[in-house]
Amino acid sequence: MFLLLLLMACTENIQDGKEGTHGWNDIRELNILLKERKGQEAIGIVLQKIYDLRKDTVQTVADNTQIEYARLLFGLLVDAYLNSRQFTAGIVCLDSLEKISFWKENYRYDFPVAKARLYQEMGNNRQAIQWAATYLGLPECTDVGRLISYSEIISEIYIYCNNDLAKAVRILEKAVEAYRSGSMHSNIVPAISRLSIYYRMMGINRV
């Protein structure tokens, strides 16, 4: 789920079919492992690729392709921990990654969303809400694709961890407003569909 939303937000920034370190082949192969429920194997491979990427970014300034490729690796890593139900190990891993300047500087929005998701699955509602609130406390993400994708995740956390339907609605309304303000993000339909469900839960007949 996490990777799927990131793919929707980042697709235009990765060159399809590019061979080597920064391309789709790595992502496709790792995604196959996740579909085959080989989460532990996927974790090992992703961590190795993250290590290789770290060496590259230490030697040179990271370009946009590397940043977006790393974001997809991040999504795969989170999904692998979720799918293998290694929630605590996932939190520990993300805490370690966040200490590295490349990750801390480029993924300030990704970390709190991922941690909120892991804590939600762990059943720790208090920590899930705390990290969701951390995300919402950041300046609004200017990448509308990520804003929409992460709004879906955060709204769900407020529903299932805090039963705060009104908060979930406000989060998605802001995402839809950002889209209608001129975003080219093409994957707004799931967010609008989810918002419609929330409206019906509140007894409101609108989209």
Side-chain angles (χ1 to χ4, degrees), residues 43-60:
I43 289 169
I45 295 173
V46 173
L47 289 177
Q48 180 60 53
K49 291 188 179 300
I50 285 174
Y51 176 76
D52 293 341
L53 184 65
R54 183 184 180 187
K55 290 191 297 183
D56 289 346
T57 55
V58 165
Q59 295 172 0
T60 61

Side-chain angles (χ1 to χ4, degrees), residues 29-48 73 75-87 89-90 93:
E29 290 169 5
L30 286 163
N31 201 32
I32 289 171
L33 287 179
L34 289 182
K35 289 179 179 178
E36 294 174 347
R37 298 293 179 180
K38 297 178 180 178
Q40 188 58 52
E41 184 178 349
I43 289 169
I45 295 173
V46 173
L47 289 177
Q48 180 60 53
L73 287 179
L76 278 163
L77 184 64
V78 174
D79 276 351
Y81 279 118
L82 287 168
N83 291 351
S84 59
R85 303 192 65 78
Q86 299 182 62
F87 309 128
C93 180

Side-chain angles (χ1 to χ4, degrees), residues 43 78-94 114-115 117-124:
I43 289 169
V78 174
D79 276 351
Y81 279 118
L82 287 168
N83 291 351
S84 59
R85 303 192 65 78
Q86 299 182 62
F87 309 128
T88 301
I91 294 293
V92 171
C93 180
L94 295 188
K115 290 180 182 181
R117 186 77 179 83
L118 284 162
Y119 276 116
Q120 177 193 9
E121 289 299 318
M122 195 187 298
N124 190 331

Side-chain angles (χ1 to χ4, degrees), residues 5 25 29 109 141 146 155 172 198:
L5 291 173
N25 288 341
E29 290 169 5
Y109 298 98
C141 183
R146 287 164 64 205
S155 71
L172 282 184
Y198 292 168

